[in-house]
């Protein structure tokens, strides 16, 4: 009984709402443009969106433009109507929205319209291309002449489209001098969608511009949508480009070194074993960087930890060879770095790298090493895989 009463009550409410909506449409048709604007303003403040009335208003605006021309009241009405479209926009609105785009070129209309379009399934290529043009034109203007509101609206809408050219069109803008709000939005949208533009991203990474490499790396690593495998692949390509590119490989600037280290850390954390050969090559470069004091001992140990984390035959062999190099330096100079040696020896023990037998035995028999190093070498020797 109670259920039936509730259903009956709901039907009455729906009937009243429909009657109210129909009454609003009649008032809109009969009213002056000032009345129309007041009506749209009043219904936009209600909890329920009267989509039929809003559609009627957009229809009126597009059909009246030729007659009313640059009427400020008409512009106010179309802007207020667009602003009243909240949440997901019904698909039947798209033809009217496209007409608004064609008939109302005013900036204030475009700003509101683009925000509305960001909540639709936009497929119209001409509007998408127009948004790209707006972004390009506005970002090239001086700060004093630039419309950040229009930029934000255009970028927001483009981000919802996920067009094939999104990355190539928007990425260059990140290299420009932008307002912080515009930059943050642009970075967020590209970062969110970067997994769909892997080929474009890798193409940038393979270039010679270290700033662009860093930017693509950051977009990927800070992406909340990309998985760890994608991030590791971007890190792998980034590290590879800075090693295999002769200009980057010989570059001792901190920007290049930090990018190499950050790429290595992603590979280490994901345990991206596919990069084991790459990391061994990087380890060879890092040894020279450490020797020339371009990286710290702690940073070199991070790379050693990465080799240990990947745990492949290549990484084990690289650590064994390095222990041999350190033994040779100790014999030649009579000095050694205990912290670094312990890191190498313990890593070899974790990997159980049997090819390290001779080098570990050398440590044990060499009289110049501390008891701590000798003890660690014995433990590592006991863990070798035979």
């Amino acid at each position: 009984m109670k259920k039936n009463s509730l259903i009956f009550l709901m039907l009455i409410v729906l009937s009243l709402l429909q009657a109210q909506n129909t009454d609003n449409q009649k008032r809109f048709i009969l009213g002056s443009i000032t009345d129309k604007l007041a009506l749209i303003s009043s219904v936009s403040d209600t909890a329920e969106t009267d989509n039929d009335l809003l559609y009627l208003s957009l229809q009126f605006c597009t059909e009246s433009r030729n007659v009313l021309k640059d009427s400020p009241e008409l512009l106010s009405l179309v802007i207020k109507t667009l602003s009243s479209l909240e949440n997901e926009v019904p698909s039947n609105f798209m033809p009217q929205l496209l007409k608004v785009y064609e008939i109302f070129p005013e900036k204030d209309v475009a700003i509101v319209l683009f925000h509305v379009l960001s909540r639709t399934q936009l497929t119209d290529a001409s509007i998408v291309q127009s948004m790209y043009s707006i972004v390009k034109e506005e970002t090239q203007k001086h700060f004093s002449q630039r419309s950040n509101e229009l930029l934000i609206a255009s970028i927001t809408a483009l981000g919802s489209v996920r067009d094939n050219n999104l990355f190539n069109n928007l990425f260059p803008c990140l290299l420009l001098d932008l307002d912080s709000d515009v930059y943050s939005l642009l970075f967020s949208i590209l970062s969110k969608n970067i997994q769909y533009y892997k080929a474009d991203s890798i193409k940038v990474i393979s270039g010679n511009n270290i700033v662009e490499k860093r930017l693509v790396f950051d977009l990927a690593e800070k992406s909340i949508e990309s998985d760890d495998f994608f991030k590791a692949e971007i890190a792998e390509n980034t590290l590879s480009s800075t090693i295999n590119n002769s200009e980057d490989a010989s570059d001792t600037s901190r920007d290049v070194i930090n990018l190499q280290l950050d790429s290595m850390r992603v590979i280490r954390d994901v345990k991206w074993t596919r990069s084991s050969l790459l990391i061994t090559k990087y380890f060879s470069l890092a040894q020279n960087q450490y020797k020339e004091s371009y990286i710290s001992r702690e940073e070199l140990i991070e790379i050693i930890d990465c080799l240990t984390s990947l745990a492949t035959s290549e990484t084990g062999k690289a650590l064994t060879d390095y222990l041999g190099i350190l033994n040779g330096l100790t014999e030649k100079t009579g000095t050694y770095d205990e912290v670094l040696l312990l890191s190498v020896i313990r890593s070899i023990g974790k990997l159980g790298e049997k090819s390290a037998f001779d080098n570990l035995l050398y440590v044990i028999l060499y009289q110049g090493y501390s008891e701590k190093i000798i003890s660690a070498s014995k433990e590592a020797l006991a863990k070798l895989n035979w």
Side-chain angles (χ1 to χ4, degrees), residues 280 312-322 351 353 355:
T280 59
T312 65
S313 58
E314 294 88 1
T315 61
K317 181 67 166 55
L319 289 170
T320 297
D321 291 344
Y322 189 49
L351 295 176
E353 178 56 47
S355 66

Side-chain angles (χ1 to χ4, degrees), residues 191 216-223 230-232 234-235 262 266:
S191 180
V216 172
F217 176 85
D218 288 344
L219 286 170
E221 300 319 307
K222 295 177 182 179
S223 174
F230 174 80
K231 294 178 180 181
I234 291 297
D262 287 342
V266 173

Side-chain angles (χ1 to χ4, degrees), residues 210 213-214 217 235-236 238-268 278-279 281-283 285-286 289 294-295 299 303 306:
I210 192 64
K213 292 177 197 280
R214 163 56 76 175
F217 176 85
E236 177 185 28
T238 303
L239 181 58
S240 177
S241 73
T242 62
I243 292 175
N244 295 322
N245 183 312
S246 58
E247 184 177 334
D248 287 340
S250 60
D251 192 337
T252 56
S253 70
R254 198 61 209 183
D255 287 340
V256 172
I257 289 173
N258 283 340
L259 185 56
Q260 291 170 340
L261 287 167
D262 287 342
S263 299
M264 174 275 300
R265 288 167 183 138
V266 173
I267 292 170
R268 175 197 63 197
L278 175 64
I279 293 296
K281 187 174 182 180
Y282 172 48
F283 184 46
L285 173 65
Q289 291 175 338
Y294 294 129
I295 64 173
E299 288 168 336
I303 302 169
C306 179

Side-chain angles (χ1 to χ4, degrees), residues 139-209:
T139 53
Q140 290 177 347
K141 291 179 180 178
H142 186 271
F143 266 105
S144 61
Q145 299 176 316
R146 190 181 297 168
S147 172
N148 287 327
E149 285 185 294
L150 184 57
L151 266 174
I152 287 172
S154 302
I155 294 168
T156 300
L158 286 168
S160 68
V161 175
R162 200 185 293 163
D163 173 71
N164 288 337
N165 299 311
L166 180 75
F167 183 88
N168 288 332
N169 277 316
L170 295 189
F171 177 78
C173 297
L174 285 175
L175 303 170
L176 304 176
D177 190 13
L178 301 175
D179 179 86
S180 59
D181 290 341
V182 175
Y183 183 91
S184 296
L185 175 64
L186 197 55
F187 188 97
S188 174
I189 285 175
L190 286 175
S191 180
K192 180 180 179 181
N193 292 286
I194 192 169
Q195 72 271 23
Y196 302 109
Y197 305 95
K198 183 170 76 172
D200 295 328
S201 301
I202 292 175
K203 185 177 180 180
V204 173
I205 291 170
S206 64
N208 296 321
N209 191 314

Side-chain angles (χ1 to χ4, degrees), residues 14-228:
L14 287 172
S15 178
L16 289 172
L17 286 173
Q18 290 175 351
Q20 177 65 41
N21 291 346
T22 302
D23 184 55
N24 285 337
Q25 292 174 50
K26 290 178 181 178
R27 289 168 58 198
F28 183 89
I29 294 171
L30 295 172
S32 66
I33 190 168
T34 304
D35 295 332
K36 288 176 170 56
L37 181 57
L39 179 61
I40 294 298
S41 298
S42 66
V43 298
S44 66
D45 295 330
T46 61
E48 286 290 328
T49 302
D50 188 346
N51 285 326
D52 291 335
L53 177 63
L54 296 179
Y55 186 92
L56 182 63
S57 180
L58 286 180
Q59 190 175 40
F60 170 80
C61 291
T62 56
E63 292 176 354
S64 303
R65 183 64 194 260
N66 283 337
V67 176
L68 297 178
K69 302 296 183 181
D70 298 328
S71 164
E73 291 84 3
L74 183 64
L75 286 178
S76 297
L77 180 60
V78 71
I79 290 172
K80 188 61 181 178
T81 304
L82 290 170
S83 301
S84 301
L85 283 168
E86 299 178 348
N87 304 319
E88 188 173 343
V89 181
S91 59
N92 67 305
F93 271 76
M94 187 55 71
Q96 285 301 325
L97 294 175
L98 295 178
K99 287 182 181 179
V100 170
Y101 167 73
E102 294 170 1
I103 297 172
F104 292 89
E106 288 81 1
K107 182 183 71 174
D108 290 342
V109 176
I111 291 172
V112 183
L113 176 62
F114 289 170
H115 280 299
V116 172
L117 290 174
S118 70
R119 303 193 302 276
T120 67
Q121 298 295 321
L122 180 60
T123 57
D124 188 278
S126 64
I127 296 186
V128 172
Q129 191 55 49
S130 175
M131 290 175 182
Y132 283 136
S133 298
I134 288 171
V135 171
K136 183 177 180 180
E137 291 168 7
E138 289 297 320
T139 53
Q140 290 177 347
K141 291 179 180 178
H142 186 271
F143 266 105
S144 61
Q145 299 176 316
R146 190 181 297 168
S147 172
N148 287 327
E149 285 185 294
L150 184 57
L151 266 174
I152 287 172
S154 302
I155 294 168
T156 300
L158 286 168
S160 68
V161 175
R162 200 185 293 163
D163 173 71
N164 288 337
N165 299 311
L166 180 75
F167 183 88
N168 288 332
N169 277 316
L170 295 189
F171 177 78
C173 297
L174 285 175
L175 303 170
L176 304 176
D177 190 13
L178 301 175
D179 179 86
S180 59
D181 290 341
V182 175
Y183 183 91
S184 296
L185 175 64
L186 197 55
F187 188 97
S188 174
I189 285 175
L190 286 175
S191 180
K192 180 180 179 181
N193 292 286
I194 192 169
Q195 72 271 23
Y196 302 109
Y197 305 95
K198 183 170 76 172
D200 295 328
S201 301
I202 292 175
K203 185 177 180 180
V204 173
I205 291 170
S206 64
N208 296 321
N209 191 314
I210 192 64
V211 175
E212 292 182 0
K213 292 177 197 280
R214 163 56 76 175
L215 196 48
V216 172
F217 176 85
D218 288 344
L219 286 170
E221 300 319 307
K222 295 177 182 179
S223 174
I224 58 175
E225 300 290 336
S226 302
D227 59 33
D228 287 344

